[in-house]
Amino acid sequence: MILEKESLGLLQEALARLEEGFHNLPKVDRSPNLDALRTVLLDVAEWMQDNYPYPHPFYVGQMLKPPTEIARLAYTLSLWINPNNHALDGGRASSAMEREAVAEIAKMFGWETHLGHLCSGGTMANLEGLWVAGNLQPNKKVVASNQAHYTHSRICGVLRLPFQSVPCDSRARMDVAALKKLLQEDDIGTVVVTLGTTGTGAIDPLPEILELQSQYGFRIHADTAYGGYFILVDNLDAETRAAFDCLKQVDSIVVDPHKHGLQPYGCGCILFKDPSVGKLYKHDSPYTYFSSEKLHLGEISLECSRPGSAAVALWATQRLLPLIPGGQFAASLSKSRKAALTLFEKLQNDSRFLIQSPPQLDIVVWVVKSQSASESSRLAKEIFKAAAEENLHLAITNLPKELFLETGEEINWDQDSITCLRSCLMKPEHLDWLDRIWQTLDSVTTKVVIGAVSILYAV
Ligand SMILES: *Cc1c(COP(=O)(O)O)cnc(C)c1O
């Protein structure tokens, strides 16, 4: 694997430009001990070889996507300043960039006004969403589907909000009838709707949930940490499209630029439709906020110090690759989705595998056919291992048996869940590499399945 290094030269040029802004300051002598740096840095490089090859198309496992060149360069460039977006005192330019970049994300979801900011990731963004929800609906229950991210129940523990999970239908989406029953029986303050579950990329039926909202009145917090950017693509199925089309009606939205937004880790985003929730964040900092009467982002954020570099990288990325339907960014997401649909078709036409329904985003999860759930799980783990030996890196996940009851397949359920193979086809190159990915999956599966059969006969 060759790492992209061509763009590094630009960093020198940009650093010289940055320097020009401070030319009137006296020079400070500071030259690093290059030999010492070199020794440690090369050690680091060697140690970092102990990783899966995340940037390579043969890595088709977890939610890992390399940051784009502009994000990497802009982030690195900004480190010579190291702005802190807590206050304008700590990062004037980068705070302005954050406000612009976040407004662009809000606009992508259809919001002309909003309150929002960047934070360390989806967990923190969801914490703020539920913290605001809990303030506005004190002591009322928060519910999320049992396929929602585990962070929601844990956050409710932190916030001391009562939490309950809602069963899913056979496609891992929140079961609306079950939600309705809960609403009739209980005082529900907030429904967390996931557009793009972490396990399978399933989309909760937002249009139906909005209908229930008009009847029962609750807040809707949308967790689109993974799926949010798919609002831009042109190849969603009708149901998924319908959910994204009404996303702007929810009260708060989480999206992770460090998942599908081409950013390095440390970049999540929380957005509120009603800017007046900002009053809940009110505090008097005796230390900061002296340089300007204008809004300091620390006044609307639970975290204090925050990396201005994350905002710089995001702003630069969106300048180069605007968040618009039909744009280059949207086209590359559509390619990921196409790759997932192509893999789905191949799996569906292969009698060794069982796959339920087409992916709603770009995550594909499938089962190895076998006489029992335990044997199928064992084979999935074997294939996972054998594929890695051939440099093809998949992921595995456990899914509950309820998700497979409508497949029409006879499975002996000797355990309540099944280990599945899982792939997040997040890189646009995955589409171009799909034939090679499939070839490897095909050959390792043959090896593992034949191995299993010969053991069966040997016994
Ligand atoms: C990844 C993810 C989270 C957690 O976000 P982090 O950035 O890992 O903290 C929450 N919800 C969903 C749906 C996710 O996919």
Side-chain angles (χ1 to χ4, degrees):
M1 175 170 74
I2 307 287
L3 297 174
E4 191 280 315
K5 296 181 282 292
E6 237 173 290
S7 61
L8 269 183
L10 296 174
L11 199 53
Q12 292 275 2
E13 191 183 344
L15 276 169
R17 177 68 60 87
L18 176 60
E19 216 170 47
E20 285 169 17
F22 303 95
H23 68 93
N24 52 355
L25 280 162
K27 186 167 181 274
V28 182
D29 272 327
R30 191 161 182 276
S31 39
N33 177 343
L34 286 185
D35 282 340
L37 288 188
R38 183 168 180 276
T39 306
V40 175
L41 197 60
L42 294 181
D43 275 353
V44 171
E46 212 167 301
W47 202 344
M48 290 300 285
Q49 292 173 5
D50 180 29
N51 273 302
Y52 290 118
Y54 307 119
H56 196 278
F58 265 178
Y59 185 87
V60 215
Q62 311 281 1
M63 293 175 166
L64 290 154
K65 182 171 179 170
T68 190
E69 290 84 16
I70 189 66
R72 216 164 50 204
L73 290 168
Y75 198 103
T76 310
L77 173 67
S78 73
L79 289 179
W80 269 263
I81 300 291
N82 193 29
N84 182 341
N85 275 11
H86 172 64
L88 293 170
D89 308 55
R92 236 176 4 245
S94 52
S95 292
M97 288 183 195
E98 177 167 343
R99 295 186 67 167
E100 281 192 29
V102 169
E104 284 162 14
I105 294 177
K107 198 156 175 217
M108 169 178 85
F109 290 126
W111 288 352
E112 293 299 330
T113 59
H114 72 283
L115 186 90
H117 61 86
L118 301 179
C119 53
S120 60
T123 302
M124 193 64 206
N126 278 306
L127 176 89
E128 293 203 25
L130 293 183
W131 175 73
V132 164
N135 270 288
L136 297 174
Q137 310 266 9
N139 304 320
K140 289 193 183 178
K141 236 181 210 172
V142 175
V143 300
S145 92
N146 62 20
Q147 287 291 309
H149 199 282
Y150 65 83
T151 195
H152 296 287
S153 68
R154 207 160 63 171
I155 286 168
C156 286
V158 173
L159 297 171
R160 301 204 181 271
L161 292 168
F163 175 86
Q164 188 166 345
S165 71
V166 186
C168 282
D169 66 12
S170 62
R171 290 175 61 193
R173 304 167 305 176
M174 184 183 282
D175 180 340
V176 181
L179 173 64
K180 185 167 182 181
K181 194 155 169 283
L182 273 179
L183 289 163
Q184 286 163 344
E185 291 166 357
D186 220 330
D187 204 5
I188 310 292
T190 304
V191 176
V192 176
V193 175
T194 307
L195 298 193
T197 59
T198 315
T200 67
I203 305 285
D204 285 343
L206 183 57
E208 285 92 329
I209 297 170
L210 281 161
E211 258 173 53
L212 289 176
Q213 185 191 36
S214 62
Q215 210 178 333
Y216 293 92
F218 45 82
R219 262 182 93 75
I220 299 182
H221 171 72
D223 182 359
T224 75
Y226 186 78
Y229 288 105
F230 281 90
I231 196 170
L232 295 174
V233 316
D234 56 11
N235 55 355
L236 299 175
D237 65 45
E239 265 174 67
T240 307
R241 175 40 64 199
F244 278 110
D245 283 347
C246 53
L247 184 54
K248 60 173 177 287
Q249 296 178 52
V250 309
D251 298 288
S252 48
I253 303 177
V254 163
V255 65
D256 259 351
H258 71 201
K259 286 225 177 105
H260 252 309
L262 301 167
Q263 299 308 296
Y265 285 111
C267 195
C269 179
I270 173 70
L271 296 165
F272 298 98
K273 184 164 62 184
D274 175 7
S276 78
V277 302
K279 64 180 183 291
L280 296 168
Y281 285 91
K282 202 170 162 43
H283 66 98
D284 292 309
S285 164
Y287 319 107
T288 42
Y289 315 149
F290 295 117
S291 66
S292 169
E293 293 292 307
K294 283 198 218 145
L295 179 76
H296 302 262
L297 288 164
E299 294 175 276
I300 55 156
S301 152
L302 286 184
E303 286 171 292
C304 297
S305 293
R306 288 178 312 117
S309 297
V312 172
L314 185 65
W315 184 89
T317 304
Q318 291 176 191
R319 166 59 79 88
L320 188 68
L321 302 165
L323 303 178
I324 46 170
Q328 198 184 331
F329 176 76
S332 84
L333 276 185
S334 303
K335 259 183 104 176
S336 280
R337 173 139 172 80
K338 179 114 190 284
L341 290 172
T342 312
L343 179 58
F344 167 76
E345 260 170 47
K346 287 181 183 292
L347 289 162
Q348 204 184 26
N349 292 327
D350 191 311
S351 60
R352 296 167 299 179
F353 299 120
L354 166 65
I355 181 157
Q356 294 169 281
S357 42
Q360 288 193 271
L361 297 178
D362 61 352
I363 302 175
V364 182
V365 177
W366 68 101
V367 165
V368 187
K369 270 194 206 163
S370 181
Q371 69 270 38
S372 67
S374 62
E375 175 62 5
S376 164
S377 299
R378 193 188 68 77
L379 290 173
K381 287 177 210 157
E382 288 291 319
I383 290 171
F384 168 77
K385 253 197 289 180
E389 278 162 22
E390 302 293 323
N391 285 317
L392 176 67
H393 300 282
L394 308 166
I396 45 183
T397 185
N398 276 319
L399 289 182
K401 94 179 182 196
E402 291 73 43
L403 296 184
F404 296 92
L405 296 181
E406 287 169 26
T407 55
E409 237 2 88
E410 290 287 328
I411 303 174
N412 168 19
W413 286 101
D414 55 349
Q415 55 184 48
D416 286 341
S417 67
I418 197 161
T419 305
C420 310
L421 288 157
R422 168 170 170 265
S423 273
C424 301
L425 293 123
M426 295 178 83
K427 288 173 277 228
E429 305 85 60
H430 279 142
L431 183 60
D432 314 321
W433 281 68
L434 209 70
D435 282 337
R436 293 175 67 176
I437 291 169
W438 181 257
Q439 267 167 23
T440 307
L441 177 63
D442 179 33
S443 72
V444 298
T445 301
T446 303
K447 249 194 273 174
V448 168
V449 173
I450 287 177
V453 170
S454 58
I455 289 170
L456 205 66
Y457 283 107
V459 169

